[in-house]
Amino acid sequence: MKTTQDQSLLVKEVSELTGLSRQVIRKWEDRYGIICPKRHENGYRLYTLEDVGTLLKICGLKDKGHSLKEALHILRSQESSDVVPKAPLSGDVIELLEKGANYDEAGLLLLLKQAHHRYGLENFLSNTIQPLMFEIGELWARGEWDESQETITSLVIRDFLVQIRRNFDLGEGAPIILGSCLPNETHEIPLHIILLQAMMHGWQTIAAGPSPKLTSIEYLVQRLKPEKLLLSATTTLPFERDPQLFEKLEAIASRHQETEFFLGGHGVCSHEIFLAPKRIRIAYTMDEVLN
């Protein structure tokens, strides 16, 4: 797994990852424009993980019997269909963003309570919290919000979701899902959203908190014996900080085979092609975890 910040790969590494010869990679690049690597100051081509993923998709389509031109057409059609117009923000989200921009914690909390009671938990999570968190991330990335605005707003949202989860009524004997961020992952809110969704399906949930040590995760699995463990990676930082992280997680999973191990989140998608799951399942949706 590449661990540099820009995840730059040389053509030799791309060849090893994809099984394509260097000549084929350069031919596809120059003749068809399938990928467009950058150039280092020394002239070497520098490829990305996205380039590797594109090449693997083309290879997969060719393995299914498509010609190269057909594979290119299918891939580009899929890419164009994936571009979905951004939905307009609801009035609730706009008001919440205004409160967050002004560091109004009390105002944020009041609006969150009102939206929760107005829509019910399921719609509150999908129509208010998820678009709100996405927009906060966009504002921060564009430099329109500073770190303090993002941090304070996120803390209010996180604490509110934790309060809902702790007050959720479940029957006795409900099966347990343990949720945990990966080491070096501090974005908790996506995990709390998923755990609340699990509770609506009758699961008792326990959260391990942000950036726990691997020893802490294993201790909780050993102590609580959950039916499922959901590991969350919103960013790629856990894998960049520890290139052997996935192998270490697999070792923990092999020692606790009574628990199903799941790994999900946006940070996993960038690295999935490098993972070789044995005991751990890569999950893209909550349904994959629950079913």
Side-chain angles (χ1 to χ4, degrees), residues 14-282:
V14 176
S15 177
E16 292 171 351
L17 291 168
T18 61
L20 297 169
S21 70
R22 302 183 199 184
Q23 292 77 14
V24 167
I25 293 170
R26 287 172 177 157
K27 177 182 176 181
W28 286 7
E29 169 194 336
D30 295 334
R31 184 174 299 181
Y32 301 103
I34 294 176
I35 52 176
C36 299
K38 296 180 180 179
R39 291 273 187 171
H40 193 271
E41 56 188 16
N42 61 14
Y44 288 127
R45 289 175 168 91
L46 297 177
Y47 301 82
T48 66
L49 297 177
E50 288 74 19
D51 292 332
V52 173
T54 298
L55 293 172
L56 287 173
K57 289 177 183 177
I58 293 292
C59 291
L61 290 167
K62 283 176 61 62
D63 289 343
K64 292 179 180 179
H66 295 286
S67 68
L68 179 58
K69 289 186 177 181
E70 289 173 337
L72 279 172
H73 177 72
I74 292 171
L75 183 62
R76 287 166 180 165
S77 297
Q78 290 174 344
E79 290 174 347
S80 62
S81 64
D82 287 341
V83 179
V84 180
K86 183 179 177 182
L89 297 177
S90 68
D92 296 294
V93 172
I94 292 172
E95 286 188 71
L96 285 161
L97 290 170
E98 290 174 352
K99 299 296 184 183
N102 294 309
Y103 308 101
D104 185 353
E105 293 185 350
L108 275 168
L109 185 57
L110 177 60
L111 289 174
L112 288 171
K113 288 180 179 179
Q114 290 173 341
H116 178 217
H117 288 298
R118 186 182 306 124
Y119 302 119
L121 181 55
E122 185 173 2
N123 288 330
F124 171 66
L125 293 175
S126 61
N127 299 333
T128 301
I129 295 298
Q130 290 177 328
L132 173 62
M133 294 309 304
F134 179 82
E135 192 64 24
I136 289 172
E138 290 285 293
L139 289 168
W140 182 85
R142 295 196 300 265
E144 297 178 32
W145 271 30
D146 60 33
E147 187 173 349
S148 62
Q149 290 169 308
E150 188 271 340
T151 300
I152 290 173
T153 305
S154 296
L155 284 174
V156 173
I157 296 168
R158 183 205 66 183
D159 290 346
F160 185 69
L161 296 180
V162 170
Q163 182 182 12
I164 294 175
R165 199 168 55 78
R166 287 174 177 167
N167 293 329
F168 203 101
D169 290 327
L170 287 169
E172 292 186 15
I176 297 175
I177 287 183
L178 172 62
S180 176
C181 294
L182 290 180
N184 297 304
E185 178 58 72
T186 59
H187 291 75
E188 296 179 79
I189 292 177
L191 180 63
H192 287 297
I193 292 173
I194 291 171
L195 292 180
L196 279 167
Q197 291 172 335
M199 296 185 81
M200 287 188 285
H201 287 82
W203 288 82
Q204 178 185 349
T205 65
I206 299 172
S211 189
K213 295 181 179 179
L214 284 177
T215 52
S216 299
I217 295 173
E218 183 166 17
Y219 175 79
L220 285 171
V221 172
Q222 184 175 356
R223 184 72 182 271
L224 298 172
K225 293 181 170 47
E227 291 197 19
K228 301 176 188 286
L229 169 64
L230 177 59
L231 299 161
S232 174
T234 301
T235 68
T236 59
L237 191 60
F239 301 102
E240 294 169 3
R241 291 281 180 86
D242 185 355
Q244 302 303 315
L245 177 59
F246 188 74
E247 287 75 12
K248 294 174 183 177
L249 292 170
E250 279 282 0
I252 294 174
S254 67
R255 292 193 290 268
H256 302 278
Q257 298 197 18
E258 70 281 1
T259 296
E260 290 184 278
F261 280 61
F262 294 88
L263 179 60
H266 294 297
V268 179
C269 299
S270 300
H271 289 274
E272 185 200 356
I273 57 175
F274 297 99
L275 306 179
K278 296 177 182 176
R279 278 275 300 135
I280 297 175
R281 301 181 188 181
I282 308 299

